[in-house]
Amino acid sequence: MPSQPTPSSAVDSARPSGSHSPWNQDPNSIWPRSIGLNNTDGSTASPLTLSLPKKEERKQERRILRFTINTANKKQLEHKAANKKDTKNTHSKDRTWNKSSEVRSTSQSSQSSLNKRQNLSIAQLRMKYPHIFKLRGKAQGSRQVALTFDDVPDNRATPLVLDILKEHNIRATFFLVGSRAKAHPELVQRIVREGHIIGNHSYNHPLLTKLTLPAFEHQLKDTERVIEQIVGYKPRYFRPPYGEISEKQLRWAGDHGYLVVNWDVDSNDWRGLSASQIIRNVVNGVSPGSIVLQHAGGSAHNGYLQGTVKALPAIINRLKAQNYEFVTVSELLQDRKEKRDD
């Protein structure tokens, strides 16, 4: 049988393969039969010397081209479908991861909120532990008020305040910083000698809520030892610097014989206010059973607490005019001044 003609290179590069490809069919279904096609000299004509009619060639090329394009389009569609599936899976994983992250974030936020809720405010601590944490005395039955002075002693403001109290025959309560008491033992002795009550105000005035419990314990115990060496007893009353104390610290103090005493009237004298402002803050804030916060030490600067010194005589006179009786914290709370070790 004569050999079949070779397709053009352009068509050949694009022709499909497979059992259903037109290239694998009977060549006689595509190419004209060579039998019966003779040359003028009587020889049989070779198909290579013949050409398909132009119309048939174009038809055949279009058919092959359509098949090739359809195959390519099918592969392209399959590729797009695969990419779409991968993208969907990726987005699904991203959503899962984001959801998991949100759950973790929400959980951490909830835990943080829980921790914040567990840090009770001073008012909440007072409500929860009224037997060991005092802000004021009882209001019923008398018009008593307790003047208290923090951050003592120093050799500037403390002697001036003591002079005024002595002149008006007023007894007050002084909360001592351990390092200052150690530096000025003679002033500590004068405070006690003139009938005032002493309380513990930490050793070097830190913010206690930033300390560990062992460090908190040292602040109280070190001050206690200094005071006991000077006056012969351990003070029962403790006032935390800035009035701040944690629940764990408060419980420890109560378990070890301390009574924590803050205040309900703040003079704000430490801000450097004028005498008239301090007088107004105190006189307008006092009620029967009040504990008043003032300062009588804490700075080496000249003029510090000048407003306190000037305001104190007027505060005493105005409250006396309102029939208030000045007492120590021990008298106001009807409690002992000395701490007992259990």
Side-chain angles (χ1 to χ4, degrees), residues 240-266:
Y242 315 103
E244 296 291 333
I245 190 171
S246 71
E247 183 175 9
K248 185 181 294 186
Q249 293 167 348
L250 176 61
R251 293 178 62 179
W252 184 92
D255 290 343
H256 290 79
Y258 294 97
L259 186 63
V260 178
V261 179
N262 270 6
W263 59 88
D264 68 319
V265 178
D266 189 349

Side-chain angles (χ1 to χ4, degrees), residues 118-129:
Q118 290 175 342
N119 293 332
L120 301 181
S121 68
I122 294 299
Q124 290 171 326
L125 289 174
R126 168 65 183 85
M127 293 293 293
K128 189 173 181 179
Y129 302 97

Side-chain angles (χ1 to χ4, degrees), residues 210-246:
K210 299 294 184 181
L211 300 185
T212 63
L213 187 59
F216 166 81
E217 296 172 16
H218 279 296
Q219 287 287 328
L220 272 68
K221 290 294 186 180
D222 291 349
T223 303
E224 183 179 274
R225 280 192 291 270
V226 171
I227 293 174
E228 186 179 23
Q229 290 172 358
I230 297 172
V231 301
Y233 73 89
K234 301 175 182 178
R236 170 161 164 75
Y237 305 112
F238 170 66
R239 174 172 287 170
Y242 315 103
E244 296 291 333
I245 190 171
S246 71

